[in-house]
Amino acid sequence: MEKYLIVGLGNPGREYEATRHNTGFMILDAFAKASNIVFEDKRYGFITSTMVKGRKLFLLKPSTFMNLSGNAVRYWLDKENIPQENLLVVVDDLALPLGTLRLKGNGSNGGHNGLGHIQQLIGPQYARLRVGIGNEFPRGGQVDWVLGEYDEEEQKTLQPVIERSIEIIKSFALAGLTITMNQFNKKNA
């Protein structure tokens, strides 16, 4: 049976729950709810698993805080013996407008501390789903922006993005990275 590790990046704790920086957590929460599965508090994170057409998907929300996400990723890849090409990290991205999704097979961390730590520990060769959170903040206001909550209008834009992200995650496991990139990245152009 093929296994996949789907990691949503965010920060644990109620004070971060609805923030832009927790968009990865929000997407995995929606996936778990739609699949009728529940996260358990385990080593380095909250984890659950589900089957999608014969493939086992482990959903992980690291409890290490964003800047140490690599610890959780490396631990669960090793523990479940999941090949790195079966890793998909779902992450918020300031460089993309709200509502935009970009699936990539590798690349830089784009200044994102969570991706930076993962790359420090396992290298840049892993898939990531970048979820645009926009960048409508004044100079020097980046931290307040990413740790701020979505307003009502933004939440309306975000809902279909969450649903499309779940489709992308399933396609990644079923059809592979290249086919999924070709299918979904065009929709966002």
CSV table of all heavy atoms in Angstrom, one decimal, residues 46-77:
chain,number,residue,atom,x,y,z
A,46,PHE,N,-0.3,16.8,15.6
A,46,PHE,CA,-1.7,16.2,15.5
A,46,PHE,C,-1.8,15.4,14.2
A,46,PHE,O,-1.5,16.0,13.2
A,46,PHE,CB,-2.7,17.3,15.6
A,46,PHE,CG,-2.6,18.1,16.9
A,46,PHE,CD1,-1.8,19.2,16.9
A,46,PHE,CD2,-3.2,17.7,18.1
A,46,PHE,CE1,-1.6,20.0,18.0
A,46,PHE,CE2,-3.0,18.4,19.2
A,46,PHE,CZ,-2.2,19.6,19.2
A,47,ILE,N,-2.1,14.1,14.3
A,47,ILE,CA,-2.1,13.3,13.1
A,47,ILE,C,-3.3,12.4,13.0
A,47,ILE,O,-3.9,12.1,14.0
A,47,ILE,CB,-0.8,12.4,13.1
A,47,ILE,CG1,-0.6,11.8,11.7
A,47,ILE,CG2,-0.8,11.4,14.2
A,47,ILE,CD1,0.8,11.6,11.3
A,48,THR,N,-3.7,12.1,11.8
A,48,THR,CA,-4.8,11.2,11.5
A,48,THR,C,-4.5,10.6,10.2
A,48,THR,O,-3.6,11.0,9.5
A,48,THR,CB,-6.2,11.9,11.6
A,48,THR,OG1,-7.2,11.0,11.5
A,48,THR,CG2,-6.3,12.9,10.4
A,49,SER,N,-5.3,9.6,9.8
A,49,SER,CA,-5.1,9.0,8.5
A,49,SER,C,-6.4,8.5,7.9
A,49,SER,O,-7.4,8.3,8.6
A,49,SER,CB,-4.1,7.8,8.6
A,49,SER,OG,-4.7,6.7,9.4
A,50,THR,N,-6.4,8.4,6.6
A,50,THR,CA,-7.5,8.0,5.9
A,50,THR,C,-7.1,7.2,4.6
A,50,THR,O,-6.0,7.4,4.2
A,50,THR,CB,-8.5,9.2,5.5
A,50,THR,OG1,-9.7,8.7,5.0
A,50,THR,CG2,-7.8,10.1,4.5
A,51,MET,N,-8.0,6.5,4.1
A,51,MET,CA,-7.7,5.8,2.8
A,51,MET,C,-8.4,6.5,1.7
A,51,MET,O,-9.6,6.9,1.8
A,51,MET,CB,-8.2,4.3,2.9
A,51,MET,CG,-7.5,3.5,3.9
A,51,MET,SD,-5.7,3.2,3.6
A,51,MET,CE,-5.8,2.1,2.1
A,52,VAL,N,-7.7,6.7,0.6
A,52,VAL,CA,-8.3,7.2,-0.6
A,52,VAL,C,-7.9,6.3,-1.8
A,52,VAL,O,-6.8,6.2,-2.2
A,52,VAL,CB,-7.8,8.7,-0.9
A,52,VAL,CG1,-8.3,9.2,-2.2
A,52,VAL,CG2,-8.1,9.6,0.2
A,53,LYS,N,-8.9,5.5,-2.2
A,53,LYS,CA,-8.7,4.6,-3.3
A,53,LYS,C,-7.4,3.7,-3.2
A,53,LYS,O,-6.6,3.7,-4.1
A,53,LYS,CB,-8.8,5.3,-4.6
A,53,LYS,CG,-10.1,5.9,-4.9
A,53,LYS,CD,-10.2,6.5,-6.3
A,53,LYS,CE,-11.6,7.1,-6.5
A,53,LYS,NZ,-11.7,7.8,-7.8
A,54,GLY,N,-7.3,3.1,-2.0
A,54,GLY,CA,-6.2,2.2,-1.8
A,54,GLY,C,-4.9,2.8,-1.4
A,54,GLY,O,-3.9,2.1,-1.2
A,55,ARG,N,-4.9,4.1,-1.2
A,55,ARG,CA,-3.7,4.8,-0.8
A,55,ARG,C,-3.9,5.4,0.6
A,55,ARG,O,-5.0,5.9,0.9
A,55,ARG,CB,-3.3,6.0,-1.7
A,55,ARG,CG,-2.7,5.4,-3.0
A,55,ARG,CD,-2.8,6.5,-4.1
A,55,ARG,NE,-2.1,6.1,-5.3
A,55,ARG,CZ,-2.7,5.4,-6.3
A,55,ARG,NH1,-3.9,5.0,-6.2
A,55,ARG,NH2,-2.0,5.0,-7.4
A,56,LYS,N,-2.9,5.2,1.5
A,56,LYS,CA,-3.1,5.7,2.9
A,56,LYS,C,-2.5,7.1,3.0
A,56,LYS,O,-1.3,7.3,2.7
A,56,LYS,CB,-2.4,4.8,3.8
A,56,LYS,CG,-2.7,5.1,5.3
A,56,LYS,CD,-2.4,4.0,6.2
A,56,LYS,CE,-2.9,4.3,7.6
A,56,LYS,NZ,-2.7,3.2,8.5
A,57,LEU,N,-3.3,8.1,3.4
A,57,LEU,CA,-2.9,9.4,3.6
A,57,LEU,C,-2.8,9.7,5.1
A,57,LEU,O,-3.8,9.6,5.8
A,57,LEU,CB,-3.9,10.4,2.9
A,57,LEU,CG,-3.7,10.7,1.4
A,57,LEU,CD1,-3.8,9.5,0.6
A,57,LEU,CD2,-4.7,11.8,1.0
A,58,PHE,N,-1.6,10.1,5.5
A,58,PHE,CA,-1.5,10.6,6.9
A,58,PHE,C,-1.5,12.2,6.8
A,58,PHE,O,-0.8,12.8,6.0
A,58,PHE,CB,-0.1,10.2,7.4
A,58,PHE,CG,0.0,8.8,7.7
A,58,PHE,CD1,0.5,7.9,6.7
A,58,PHE,CD2,-0.3,8.2,8.9
A,58,PHE,CE1,0.6,6.5,6.9
A,58,PHE,CE2,-0.2,6.9,9.2
A,58,PHE,CZ,0.2,6.0,8.2
A,59,LEU,N,-2.4,12.7,7.6
A,59,LEU,CA,-2.6,14.2,7.7
A,59,LEU,C,-1.9,14.6,9.0
A,59,LEU,O,-2.2,14.2,10.0
A,59,LEU,CB,-4.0,14.6,7.7
A,59,LEU,CG,-4.9,14.1,6.6
A,59,LEU,CD1,-6.3,14.6,6.7
A,59,LEU,CD2,-4.4,14.4,5.2
A,60,LEU,N,-1.0,15.6,8.8
A,60,LEU,CA,-0.2,16.0,10.0
A,60,LEU,C,-0.2,17.5,10.1
A,60,LEU,O,0.0,18.3,9.2
A,60,LEU,CB,1.3,15.6,9.8
A,60,LEU,CG,2.3,16.2,10.8
A,60,LEU,CD1,2.1,15.7,12.2
A,60,LEU,CD2,3.7,15.8,10.3
A,61,LYS,N,-0.6,18.0,11.4
A,61,LYS,CA,-0.5,19.4,11.7
A,61,LYS,C,0.6,19.4,12.8
A,61,LYS,O,0.4,19.0,14.0
A,61,LYS,CB,-1.8,19.9,12.3
A,61,LYS,CG,-3.0,19.8,11.3
A,61,LYS,CD,-4.2,20.4,11.8
A,61,LYS,CE,-4.7,20.0,13.1
A,61,LYS,NZ,-6.0,20.6,13.6
A,62,PRO,N,1.8,19.9,12.5
A,62,PRO,CA,2.9,19.9,13.5
A,62,PRO,C,2.5,20.7,14.7
A,62,PRO,O,1.9,21.8,14.6
A,62,PRO,CB,4.1,20.5,12.7
A,62,PRO,CG,3.8,20.3,11.3
A,62,PRO,CD,2.3,20.3,11.2
A,63,SER,N,2.9,20.2,15.9
A,63,SER,CA,2.7,21.0,17.1
A,63,SER,C,4.0,21.7,17.5
A,63,SER,O,4.1,22.1,18.7
A,63,SER,CB,2.3,20.0,18.2
A,63,SER,OG,3.2,19.0,18.4
A,64,THR,N,5.0,21.7,16.6
A,64,THR,CA,6.3,22.3,16.9
A,64,THR,C,6.4,23.8,16.8
A,64,THR,O,7.5,24.3,16.9
A,64,THR,CB,7.3,21.6,16.0
A,64,THR,OG1,6.9,21.8,14.6
A,64,THR,CG2,7.5,20.1,16.3
A,65,PHE,N,5.3,24.4,16.4
A,65,PHE,CA,5.3,25.8,16.0
A,65,PHE,C,6.0,25.9,14.6
A,65,PHE,O,6.9,25.1,14.2
A,65,PHE,CB,5.9,26.8,17.0
A,65,PHE,CG,5.0,27.1,18.1
A,65,PHE,CD1,5.1,26.3,19.3
A,65,PHE,CD2,4.1,28.0,18.1
A,65,PHE,CE1,4.2,26.5,20.3
A,65,PHE,CE2,3.2,28.2,19.1
A,65,PHE,CZ,3.2,27.5,20.2
A,66,MET,N,5.6,26.9,13.9
A,66,MET,CA,6.0,27.0,12.4
A,66,MET,C,7.5,26.9,12.2
A,66,MET,O,7.9,26.1,11.3
A,66,MET,CB,5.5,28.4,12.0
A,66,MET,CG,5.7,28.6,10.5
A,66,MET,SD,4.6,27.6,9.5
A,66,MET,CE,3.1,28.5,9.7
A,67,ASN,N,8.3,27.6,13.0
A,67,ASN,CA,9.8,27.6,12.7
A,67,ASN,C,10.5,26.3,12.9
A,67,ASN,O,11.7,26.2,12.6
A,67,ASN,CB,10.4,28.7,13.6
A,67,ASN,CG,9.9,30.1,13.2
A,67,ASN,OD1,9.1,30.3,12.3
A,67,ASN,ND2,10.3,31.1,14.0
A,68,LEU,N,9.8,25.3,13.5
A,68,LEU,CA,10.5,24.0,13.8
A,68,LEU,C,9.7,22.9,13.1
A,68,LEU,O,9.8,21.7,13.5
A,68,LEU,CB,10.6,23.7,15.3
A,68,LEU,CG,11.5,24.7,16.0
A,68,LEU,CD1,11.5,24.4,17.5
A,68,LEU,CD2,12.9,24.7,15.5
A,69,SER,N,8.9,23.2,12.0
A,69,SER,CA,8.1,22.2,11.4
A,69,SER,C,8.9,21.1,10.8
A,69,SER,O,8.3,19.9,10.7
A,69,SER,CB,7.3,22.9,10.2
A,69,SER,OG,6.5,23.9,10.7
A,70,GLY,N,10.1,21.3,10.4
A,70,GLY,CA,10.9,20.2,9.9
A,70,GLY,C,11.1,19.0,10.8
A,70,GLY,O,11.2,17.9,10.4
A,71,ASN,N,11.1,19.3,12.1
A,71,ASN,CA,11.2,18.2,13.1
A,71,ASN,C,10.1,17.2,12.9
A,71,ASN,O,10.3,16.0,12.9
A,71,ASN,CB,11.3,18.7,14.5
A,71,ASN,CG,12.5,19.5,14.8
A,71,ASN,OD1,13.5,19.4,14.1
A,71,ASN,ND2,12.4,20.3,15.8
A,72,ALA,N,8.9,17.7,12.8
A,72,ALA,CA,7.7,16.8,12.7
A,72,ALA,C,7.7,16.1,11.4
A,72,ALA,O,7.4,14.9,11.3
A,72,ALA,CB,6.4,17.7,12.9
A,73,VAL,N,8.0,16.8,10.3
A,73,VAL,CA,8.0,16.3,9.0
A,73,VAL,C,9.0,15.1,8.9
A,73,VAL,O,8.6,14.0,8.5
A,73,VAL,CB,8.3,17.3,7.9
A,73,VAL,CG1,8.5,16.7,6.5
A,73,VAL,CG2,7.2,18.4,7.8
A,74,ARG,N,10.2,15.3,9.3
A,74,ARG,CA,11.2,14.3,9.3
A,74,ARG,C,10.8,13.1,10.1
A,74,ARG,O,11.0,11.9,9.7
A,74,ARG,CB,12.6,14.9,9.7
A,74,ARG,CG,13.7,13.8,9.6
A,74,ARG,CD,15.1,14.4,9.8
A,74,ARG,NE,15.2,14.9,11.2
A,74,ARG,CZ,16.2,15.6,11.6
A,74,ARG,NH1,17.2,15.9,10.9
A,74,ARG,NH2,16.2,16.1,12.9
A,75,TYR,N,10.3,13.4,11.3
A,75,TYR,CA,9.9,12.3,12.2
A,75,TYR,C,8.9,11.4,11.6
A,75,TYR,O,9.0,10.1,11.6
A,75,TYR,CB,9.4,12.8,13.6
A,75,TYR,CG,8.9,11.7,14.5
A,75,TYR,CD1,9.8,11.0,15.2
A,75,TYR,CD2,7.5,11.5,14.6
A,75,TYR,CE1,9.3,9.9,16.1
A,75,TYR,CE2,7.0,10.5,15.4
A,75,TYR,CZ,7.9,9.7,16.1
A,75,TYR,OH,7.4,8.7,16.9
A,76,TRP,N,7.8,12.0,11.1
A,76,TRP,CA,6.7,11.2,10.5
A,76,TRP,C,7.0,10.5,9.2
A,76,TRP,O,6.6,9.4,8.9
A,76,TRP,CB,5.4,12.0,10.5
A,76,TRP,CG,4.9,12.2,11.8
A,76,TRP,CD1,5.0,13.2,12.7
A,76,TRP,CD2,4.2,11.2,12.6
A,76,TRP,NE1,4.4,13.0,13.9
A,76,TRP,CE2,3.9,11.7,13.9
A,76,TRP,CE3,3.7,9.9,12.3
A,76,TRP,CZ2,3.2,11.1,14.9
A,76,TRP,CZ3,3.0,9.2,13.3
A,76,TRP,CH2,2.8,9.8,14.6
A,77,LEU,N,7.9,11.1,8.4
A,77,LEU,CA,8.4,10.5,7.2
A,77,LEU,C,9.1,9.2,7.6
A,77,LEU,O,8.9,8.1,7.0
A,77,LEU,CB,9.3,11.4,6.4
A,77,LEU,CG,8.7,12.5,5.5
A,77,LEU,CD1,9.8,13.3,4.9
A,77,LEU,CD2,7.8,11.9,4.4
